Amino acid sequence: MAKKTYTDSAGKRVHPYVPEISDLYRRGKVSRRDFLHTVTLLGVSAGAAYAFADKVDGVKSLNPIRQAQAAEKGGVLRSAMRVQDMSDPAVFDWTPRSNQARGIVEYMTRTGSDNITRPYLAESWEANDELTEWTFKLRQGVKWSNGDDFNADDVIHNFNRWLDPSVGSSNIGLFAAMTTDYDTGQKNDDGSPVMGKRMREGAIERVDDHTVKLYLNSPVLSIPENLYNYPAAIVHRNFDDEGGNLAQNPVGTGPYTLAEYEIGNKCRLVRRSDGPYWGPEPYLDEIFYIDLGDDDNAAVAALASGQVDHIYELFIDTIDVVERLPNAVLHEAPTAQTAVFRMRMDSAPFDNKQLRQAVAATMDHQKILDLAYRGRGVVAENHHVAPIHPEYYKLPPLTRDVEKAKALLAEAGHADGVSLNLDVNNNNSWEVAAAQAFREQAAAAGIDIKLNIMPGAQYWTVWDKTPFGLTTWTHRPLGVMVLNLAYRTGVPWNESAYSNPEFEAALDVASGILDVEERRKSMEKVESILQEDAIIAQPLWRSVFTATSKRVQGYKAHPTFYHQFQTVWLDG
Amino acid sequence: MLVFLARRTVQMLLVMIGVSILLFLLLEIDIDNLAIKVLGPYSLPEARELWLTENGYRDSIVVRYFRWVGGVMVGDFGQSVIYRVPVSDVLWPRLANTALLGGLVLALVIPLALFFGVLAGMREGALRDRVISVSCILTTSVPEYASAPLLTVIFVFWLDLLPGTSNMVGGFQWQAMVLPVMVLVLYDFGYVARMTRASMAEVMTTHYIRTAVLKGLPYRVVILKHALRNALIAPFTVIMLQLNWLLSGVIITEFFFSYKGFGALLLEASLNGDIFVIEACAIISVVVAVGSQLLSDLGYAALNPRIRIH
């Protein structure tokens, strides 16, 4: 049978699934959000997608990327945020680092606060029907701040860096479908070789100056979204030859350059004057990050007295104060941000499944949400897929069952109860509160959890080693993304040492299904296996908060705190 | 006198060596984490090992210690892990900031505490003494972590008079000094005033004061000529001790107002295991501690002619 090719009104090839999902949408089979999400992932421009959806719904939506009407150019946006080392974007492990770099270097794609991914340095993209070959057309006429043209070599160089194990980039987990396993030459304790991942020969092809093609081992839907993951900023092709340090040599395609930089104190980005910026000029002349330390109250006091215009992140206990400040605006974003009580499968006593299930069965999710986060979020279900993810499959609700927990504990050989040490970092007070609430709940089944509360800096040196820890996980736009990052055998962020071939096979299937309904069905198995294996006990999905002064216009809180200041301007 | 100074200097050096060796040994336990901090948590073990070797961390501890001591002799404290610059680049500006803060605090605490302390101690048990004593106890018993938010609520959120943080990225701002200084003065002045009061009250009961009063000297002369000098000996020692407190005891205040001082630096360095910054801070603390003790001894001798330094 001849393969049918679909083209749009301009004669450009569109993915064969686009007409189908458009039809489903017209008939009310998929939600507006799922429709917008999927078609933009498949390369339809956000403008066209919104226009189609508006036509079907008979509404006039406010396109979130529309130009502001009364925007004023100029001014300095002062933001209270930690100022950290920003030498190499590929190894960023904290969002603040990426925000410092965001005005200088840019990404292939950009996911907005509405969960829709749009073109950025890539002008358009398309995938084959199997989702194993992705072609990215790069924007033409983009110039680096050193005068070079942006082209395919830059993109290829970045992929080479990300997938080179000696660089140590977490992107290697996200683009695992472009890697191959190799023997690192080291031995495990049992004498088996330690395997690592590195880029597979021929995983990326330079089609022409402005086209690259990715070849994957297995279907992946979230390639465009992966390209906006915070360590995926595109650096210049000579980045490594010219010192490999963005702070010392800030070459980028973005509209700003680095004017002042002092770790732990300040980072000032100013509009660059060496040649025009390829995109619409941002309104702000300068973005000035000011490090006020880890104390939330300092940032709020600074906002109250007009020393800053924006706060990177507000914790739940300070939102009341901000709501009462006359000159401040509180911004809330529902997210897939969470923290998981994760048990390391290779460490006793957590190598016993019944014990893990007993721990999980004692949890009263709603109660922890209410106690630790004032109910501002939704309950989670121990499988790390959030209701706001398009592929979320609703499993039967979890209920707390102390008797079952006791029985499981007895089966695991701990009929008289068990004592466990839990490492908790005190960066987020709600996590400490959640750990305390969970300790009470677990105690009812004879599980004595001893809390070992430590500063964040200390926790992050043991987060992937400790047998039992409460780890913060940030939001990702698709459910499969974090599963691919954290629950596959041997990926760097697999903090629980989880390894289940059945789960990975199910995840492979789900990660390759385009149809939202079909993918959701396939997630049933993925979510059930993870829930059943009880690798994590996960209480809640939380909303996040940021704040601005009333001067700041055109700002929307991003669920991952990624700063998108190109639409922001200052009043007066 | 010279012998005394020389002995004190040797003493100080010995303490410094002791402290630095202890810290070196203590931080030794964490050496692998240094590489993780520099290269990121997802770096390969081989890369970390290479970095540790290249930067000399795999040399024996003795070699490393003497290399570090050699550096300190010429003012090189090594490289900071979190700040990614030589330690002296962060240390000296931070120390200057804390010196400024501490200087302002002392400039207010000393006259206030001495004035009210002497005033209260002149007539022990009188109404004036009671009022001053109770006020001093009240201010001293409110810790900085309580008074800082309280004063912030009043002066920043409610009256809108002062800036809420004192990080001064935009350059020095005297308004930004007000709150941190106020918090520290409130906490400290009561203590010194109470010490002064006790000392003054004791002097007022001595025979020579009674004699002075009985031989008909004007009260003003009794206080200024006979009582004051003797009453100031004890508070002087207390004030010298405040120097140490102002160096590292101000951590909470500096953290709260994000004032970029020595205390905040020590806190960040300790949380992140930044070895050379911690070592440098410890050395500075020892110098200040021993130095203030020396000053206190010299001052003692000057105030009390009965004490002689050998």
Side-chain angles (χ1 to χ4, degrees):
Chain A
M1 197 178 89
K3 215 166 175 180
K4 192 170 171 205
T5 306
Y6 296 87
T7 52
D8 66 8
S9 53
K12 189 179 157 255
R13 180 188 175 277
V14 298
H15 194 280
Y17 185 62
V18 171
E20 197 183 325
I21 192 171
S22 304
D23 191 46
L24 285 174
Y25 182 58
R26 208 175 292 136
R27 288 189 279 129
K29 295 276 187 202
V30 292
S31 73
R32 181 182 171 94
R33 202 186 69 199
D34 288 343
F35 167 75
L36 291 172
H37 192 99
T38 309
V39 297
T40 48
L41 272 182
L42 292 171
V44 175
S45 78
Y50 270 100
F52 180 83
D54 284 353
K55 211 169 128 196
V56 171
D57 298 343
V59 294
K60 187 83 200 100
S61 75
L62 295 173
N63 188 340
I65 52 168
R66 105 204 120 94
Q67 287 290 312
Q69 307 236 308
E72 294 165 41
K73 208 173 159 192
V76 182
L77 180 85
R78 297 157 304 165
S79 171
M81 185 179 81
R82 293 312 308 256
V83 173
Q84 304 172 329
D85 177 44
M86 57 185 279
S87 341
D88 185 354
V91 300
F92 283 166
D93 51 355
W94 284 96
T95 307
R97 298 170 199 261
S98 77
N99 282 338
Q100 287 162 230
R102 241 164 247 278
I104 305 167
V105 282
E106 301 181 297
Y107 295 76
M108 293 278 278
T109 60
R110 176 158 49 199
T111 307
S113 43
D114 54 2
N115 234 10
I116 306 283
T117 300
R118 302 181 175 81
Y120 199 5
L121 284 178
E123 195 176 49
S124 64
W125 52 84
E126 51 188 40
N128 67 349
D129 300 351
E130 291 76 36
L131 297 174
T132 51
E133 290 175 25
W134 286 82
T135 310
F136 282 85
K137 282 252 178 270
L138 308 183
R139 202 175 288 279
Q140 306 212 10
V142 174
K143 285 227 183 281
W144 290 96
S145 52
N146 65 5
D148 290 347
D149 268 319
F150 164 72
N151 64 33
D153 296 330
D154 295 306
V155 177
I156 291 170
H157 178 71
N158 279 276
F159 270 98
N160 288 338
R161 302 189 75 231
W162 300 338
L163 304 182
D164 174 354
S166 67
V167 171
S169 171
S170 64
N171 286 333
I172 211 160
L174 281 182
F175 296 100
M178 293 172 71
T179 62
T180 177
D181 290 342
Y182 77 105
D183 186 342
T184 57
Q186 290 181 319
K187 297 278 182 237
N188 281 320
D189 293 340
D190 60 7
S192 61
V194 175
M195 299 302 283
K197 286 186 186 304
R198 67 178 170 210
M199 194 171 186
R200 178 169 37 80
E201 197 72 31
I204 186 165
E205 182 196 351
R206 185 188 202 279
V207 178
D208 61 42
D209 272 2
H210 290 93
T211 313
V212 293
K213 201 164 178 185
L214 312 181
Y215 296 91
L216 315 180
N217 298 334
S218 54
V220 181
L221 178 64
S222 59
I223 292 289
E225 263 138 351
N226 289 352
L227 285 167
Y228 193 55
N229 191 38
Y230 61 90
I234 301 291
V235 296
H236 190 271
R237 51 188 173 270
N238 294 339
F239 180 76
D240 295 283
D241 299 337
E242 288 170 1
N245 190 326
L246 187 70
Q248 281 163 14
N249 186 24
V251 176
T253 53
Y256 296 97
T257 189
L258 193 59
E260 265 186 294
Y261 168 63
E262 213 181 303
I263 297 171
N265 199 15
K266 58 187 167 181
C267 173
R268 187 196 289 271
L269 303 171
V270 300
R271 196 193 292 278
R272 78 177 149 88
S273 48
D274 45 10
Y277 174 56
W278 63 267
E281 274 289 330
Y283 302 111
L284 301 168
D285 283 342
E286 291 185 17
I287 300 166
F288 192 13
Y289 290 109
I290 302 170
D291 190 325
L292 296 177
D294 277 329
D295 188 357
D296 224 9
N297 296 306
V300 174
L303 183 69
S305 57
Q307 289 177 302
V308 297
D309 311 294
H310 173 258
I311 296 178
Y312 168 70
E313 178 178 12
L314 268 185
F315 296 110
I316 186 87
D317 10 78
T318 18
I319 59 175
D320 291 346
V321 185
V322 173
E323 274 178 327
R324 274 190 233 115
L325 282 182
N327 63 342
V329 186
L330 180 74
H331 301 266
E332 177 170 353
T335 74
Q337 305 246 22
T338 186
V340 297
F341 293 89
R342 104 282 180 286
M343 296 166 261
R344 213 173 146 83
M345 222 171 121
D346 63 357
S347 318
F350 302 105
D351 48 358
N352 184 309
K353 186 165 157 184
Q354 273 102 354
L355 177 116
R356 298 197 304 267
Q357 287 173 331
V359 171
T362 61
M363 182 177 277
D364 183 339
H365 296 68
Q366 183 65 47
K367 200 148 193 190
I368 296 183
L369 175 63
D370 292 343
L371 283 174
Y373 213 66
R374 302 187 188 184
R376 292 186 90 142
V378 290
V379 291
E381 295 144 297
N382 304 353
H383 55 55
H384 219 145
V385 182
I388 64 160
H389 286 139
E391 67 267 60
Y392 169 78
Y393 181 89
K394 184 137 190 60
L395 295 174
L398 290 174
T399 46
R400 179 171 187 238
D401 192 339
V402 176
E403 289 315 310
K404 189 178 133 202
K406 282 181 181 162
L408 283 163
L409 210 55
E411 279 178 51
H414 299 283
D416 302 330
V418 62
S419 182
L420 306 171
N421 281 316
L422 175 70
D423 284 344
V424 180
N425 87 72
N426 67 4
N427 269 11
N428 302 326
S429 53
W430 78 266
E431 287 180 25
V432 177
Q436 277 156 350
F438 186 42
R439 184 184 58 180
E440 298 299 320
Q441 294 172 1
I447 300 170
D448 175 27
I449 298 179
K450 292 196 169 50
L451 301 186
N452 181 18
I453 298 166
M454 55 179 84
Q458 200 184 333
Y459 183 78
W460 293 112
T461 63
V462 299
W463 74 286
D464 54 352
K465 295 179 201 77
T466 178
F468 193 25
L470 179 59
T471 300
T472 323
W473 278 91
T474 192
H475 164 102
R476 284 181 177 80
L478 295 182
V480 291
M481 290 171 82
V482 84
L483 300 182
N484 281 319
L485 263 179
Y487 300 96
R488 278 185 187 279
T489 313
V491 291
W493 286 7
N494 187 343
E495 54 170 345
S496 50
Y498 186 50
S499 179
N500 183 343
E502 195 196 351
F503 168 79
E504 282 175 48
L507 183 56
D508 281 341
V509 172
S511 301
I513 301 178
L514 197 52
D515 184 300
V516 179
E517 296 299 329
E518 287 302 314
R519 181 147 42 95
R520 185 175 297 133
K521 276 181 220 151
S522 78
M523 288 301 282
E524 178 183 9
K525 189 167 176 201
V526 175
E527 294 175 11
S528 315
I529 297 176
L530 204 54
Q531 209 180 52
E532 162 77 14
D533 279 342
I535 285 298
I536 55 172
Q538 184 193 11
L540 59 92
W541 301 103
R542 66 190 182 104
S543 289
V544 296
F545 310 90
T546 68
T548 60
S549 66
K550 288 221 163 101
R551 296 172 68 207
V552 178
Q553 306 291 324
Y555 171 77
K556 242 176 125 67
H558 195 275
T560 38
F561 301 109
Y562 291 0
H563 288 170
Q564 300 179 335
F565 289 150
Q566 66 280 1
T567 55
V568 170
W569 79 96
L570 298 172
D571 241 357
Chain B
M1 180 77 177
L2 273 178
V3 180
F4 171 78
L5 280 179
R7 206 165 52 207
R8 271 304 164 83
T9 313
V10 172
Q11 222 174 42
M12 178 164 86
L13 283 174
L14 286 176
V15 175
M16 276 183 185
I17 292 170
V19 168
S20 62
I21 290 179
L22 273 179
L23 276 173
F24 232 84
L25 289 174
L26 211 64
L27 296 164
E28 183 72 3
I29 307 163
D30 232 15
I31 205 100
D32 288 328
N33 279 333
L34 259 190
I36 299 179
K37 254 159 218 143
V38 174
L39 301 177
Y42 320 108
S43 50
L44 287 184
E46 304 93 89
R48 291 176 197 164
E49 199 51 51
L50 192 70
W51 185 87
L52 287 173
T53 317
E54 270 176 2
N55 288 276
Y57 287 100
R58 284 297 179 230
D59 299 340
S60 84
I61 182 158
V62 182
V63 172
R64 270 186 298 127
Y65 181 74
F66 281 104
R67 188 163 51 212
W68 176 75
V69 169
V72 172
M73 300 282 187
V74 293
D76 173 14
F77 287 97
Q79 193 80 12
S80 158
V81 174
I82 10 171
Y83 298 99
R84 304 285 161 103
V85 288
V87 172
S88 18
D89 284 11
V90 275
L91 182 68
W92 299 124
R94 294 297 194 105
L95 199 59
N97 285 346
T98 293
L100 176 68
L101 180 62
L104 284 174
V105 170
L106 282 184
L108 286 169
V109 163
I110 295 175
L112 273 178
L114 293 186
F115 180 74
F116 285 106
V118 168
L119 217 56
M122 272 160 52
R123 288 212 176 87
E124 197 181 2
L127 179 68
R128 192 170 60 194
D129 176 29
R130 294 278 162 81
V131 172
I132 293 175
S133 292
V134 169
S135 323
C136 288
I137 293 172
L138 275 180
T139 56
T140 309
S141 44
V142 180
E144 301 104 306
Y145 55 80
S147 58
L150 184 72
L151 292 174
T152 304
V153 165
I154 296 174
F155 290 101
V156 180
F157 289 91
W158 182 37
L159 297 175
D160 197 14
L161 280 178
L162 294 170
T165 55
S166 315
N167 119 318
M168 309 204 203
V169 276
F172 183 77
Q173 226 193 333
W174 70 266
Q175 297 98 320
M177 294 303 291
V178 177
L179 279 175
V181 168
M182 209 190 301
V183 167
L184 291 170
V185 167
L186 269 183
Y187 182 67
D188 198 34
F189 121 88
Y191 174 65
V192 181
R194 299 258 308 150
M195 287 301 186
T196 313
R197 174 199 165 276
S199 173
M200 186 69 185
E202 199 189 318
V203 168
M204 292 306 283
T205 61
T206 52
H207 297 304
Y208 60 86
I209 295 294
R210 200 175 52 180
T211 312
V213 174
L214 287 179
K215 75 181 174 189
L217 283 178
Y219 195 61
R220 207 172 60 90
V221 177
V222 175
I223 297 293
L224 289 178
K225 283 220 152 150
H226 296 260
L228 213 51
R229 183 165 162 176
N230 286 304
L232 284 184
I233 296 174
F236 179 75
T237 318
V238 173
I239 288 167
M240 281 300 149
L241 283 174
Q242 302 311 301
L243 285 179
N244 295 310
W245 170 73
L246 280 170
L247 194 61
S248 50
V250 294
I251 292 182
I252 295 170
T253 311
E254 291 190 349
F255 180 69
F256 187 89
F257 294 105
S258 12
Y259 187 77
K260 302 289 173 186
F262 183 82
L265 177 70
L266 183 57
L267 178 72
E268 285 271 330
S270 312
L271 289 178
N272 289 290
D274 200 344
I275 294 189
F276 293 137
V277 175
I278 301 176
E279 287 280 5
C281 289
I283 295 295
I284 299 287
S285 302
V286 172
V287 171
V288 172
V290 180
S292 63
Q293 210 183 342
L294 184 69
L295 275 180
S296 146
D297 288 346
L298 294 176
Y300 232 79
L303 280 172
N304 189 345
R306 278 174 302 181
I307 295 173
R308 285 280 170 270
I309 289 172
H310 304 288

